[in-house]
């Protein structure tokens, strides 16, 4: 059996209905996992789950009571959860001096509080079983400060996700639960493609990426499979950067 095989594993992917989340869900299914896509968009989520042979639950990660309830439903239906992928997130390109309290709080609520709520909700189950893998989708923006676009709130939220990952990994390692993060660079999602329409952004982005191109969503999924599988059994508290070399400069 391959070390990357996920037969018999149950995985939850937040924000799994489209973009990077969809590609991650697809890879997990292809490696034999039973996948539950949880997403705020019911219509798109149902369609994605149907296309992949996955399951779907509507979930707003900013509502911790809802997170607890939905995760408990999944545990009851599937009997177990082996892998949690915290992928749901938002970005706003607002100059820091113009960022309102509401915008700042919303970004933190989704990108950081939502990740913590999901980690906490699944931790009781995983810790009681003595096994589990949590994979937080951070960003290279948690390691460097992007330019020329302004996004201080987003960068801060992703840096916090990286530190949360390390902190949880330290707390739970001895009890069998691994916690790692993936830090993607620019990925060719609809939002990033829209950013590429701004000439200044496009030039700076491509000039700064040593590989000279955006990643495709499908190039992120294999890293998740690695961290979800036995292939990474001795890996915890790590941040796997998948950025075409952007952060080496």
């Amino acid at each position: 059996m391959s070390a990357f095989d996920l037969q018999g594993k149950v995985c939850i992917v937040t924000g799994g209905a489209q973009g990077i989340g969809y590609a991650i869900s697809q890879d997990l299914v292809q490696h034999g996992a039973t996948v539950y896509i949880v997403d705020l968009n019911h219509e798109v989520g149902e369609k994605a789950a149907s296309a992949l042979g996955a399951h779907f639950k509507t979930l707003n990660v900013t509502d911790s009571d809802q997170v607890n309830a939905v995760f408990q439903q999944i545990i009851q239906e599937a009997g177990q959860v082996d892998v949690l992928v915290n992928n749901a997130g938002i970005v706003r390109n607002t100059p820091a001096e113009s960022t309102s309290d509401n915008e700042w709080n919303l970004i933190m609520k989704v990108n950081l509080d939502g990740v913590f709520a999901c980690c906490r909700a699944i931790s009781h189950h995983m810790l009681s079983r003595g096994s589990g893998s949590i994979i937080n989708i951070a960003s290279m923006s948690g390691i460097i400060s992007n330019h020329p676009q302004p996004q201080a709130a987003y960068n801060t939220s992703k840096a916090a996700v990286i530190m949360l990952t390390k902190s949880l990994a330290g707390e739970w390692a001895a009890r069998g639960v691994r916690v790692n993060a993936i830090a993607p660079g620019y990925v060719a999602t609809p939002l990033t493609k829209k950013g590429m329409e701004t000439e200044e952004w496009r030039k700076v982005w491509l000039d700064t990426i040593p590989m000279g191109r955006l990643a495709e969503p499908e190039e992120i999924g294999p890293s998740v499979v690695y961290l979800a599988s036995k292939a990474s059994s001795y890996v915890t508290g790590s941040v796997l950067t998948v950025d075409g070399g952007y952060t080496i400069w």
Side-chain angles (χ1 to χ4, degrees):
M1 180 183 293
S2 167
F4 297 93
D5 185 74
L6 295 174
Q7 290 285 342
K9 301 296 184 182
V10 179
C11 307
I12 296 174
V13 181
T14 72
Q18 52 193 331
I20 295 173
Y22 182 89
I24 289 170
S25 299
Q26 184 175 47
D27 249 339
L28 293 171
V29 168
Q30 289 174 348
H31 282 79
T34 297
V35 174
Y36 279 81
I37 292 172
V38 296
D39 201 287
L40 188 60
N41 192 321
H42 176 83
E43 183 178 350
V44 175
E46 288 282 11
K47 184 177 179 180
S50 177
L52 295 178
H55 305 270
F56 175 74
K57 300 284 186 185
T58 303
L59 178 64
N60 180 351
V61 297
T62 69
D63 184 336
S64 59
D65 288 338
Q66 189 180 131
V67 170
N68 292 335
V70 170
F71 279 23
Q72 193 57 43
Q73 289 175 11
I74 294 173
I75 292 167
Q76 290 175 349
E77 287 181 16
Q80 66 192 57
V81 172
D82 303 280
V83 178
L84 167 64
V85 183
N86 284 309
N87 169 75
I90 60 172
V91 64
R92 297 288 186 273
N93 297 117
T94 306
E97 70 273 17
S98 304
T99 299
S100 67
D101 287 351
N102 286 341
E103 183 171 271
W104 176 275
N105 291 336
L106 175 62
I107 290 171
M108 295 303 163
K109 190 74 174 170
V110 176
N111 293 0
L112 178 59
D113 296 356
V115 170
F116 178 70
C118 290
C119 289
R120 181 179 58 191
I122 207 64
S123 68
H124 305 288
H125 172 70
M126 288 185 172
L127 291 169
S128 69
R129 298 179 70 226
S131 67
S133 175
I134 297 173
I135 303 154
N136 297 324
I137 306 302
S139 172
M140 69 175 186
S141 305
I143 302 170
I144 51 85
S145 178
N146 305 65
H147 69 105
Q149 76 277 20
Q151 52 183 54
Y154 178 81
N155 296 351
T156 302
S157 72
K158 291 300 186 177
V161 167
I162 288 173
M163 184 50 67
L164 175 63
T165 298
K166 293 176 180 289
S167 300
L168 297 181
E171 288 193 31
W172 297 340
R175 289 185 278 173
V177 177
R178 298 185 297 110
V179 189
N180 292 287
I182 293 174
Y186 291 115
V187 181
T189 60
L191 189 62
T192 303
K193 289 178 180 178
K194 183 173 179 59
M196 290 281 283
E197 295 174 3
T198 302
E199 176 62 24
E200 181 190 9
W201 294 15
R202 184 187 66 79
K203 186 179 187 314
V204 172
W205 292 357
L206 294 181
D207 285 351
T208 312
I209 301 169
M211 292 183 71
R213 65 174 179 85
L214 306 181
E216 294 299 324
E218 293 75 19
E219 293 181 286
I220 308 302
S223 297
V224 174
V225 171
Y226 165 66
L227 291 174
S229 70
K230 289 182 179 179
S232 61
S233 59
Y234 198 57
V235 179
T236 197
S238 291
V239 181
L240 179 54
T241 306
V242 187
D243 66 351
Y246 189 103
T247 56
I248 66 175
W249 301 123

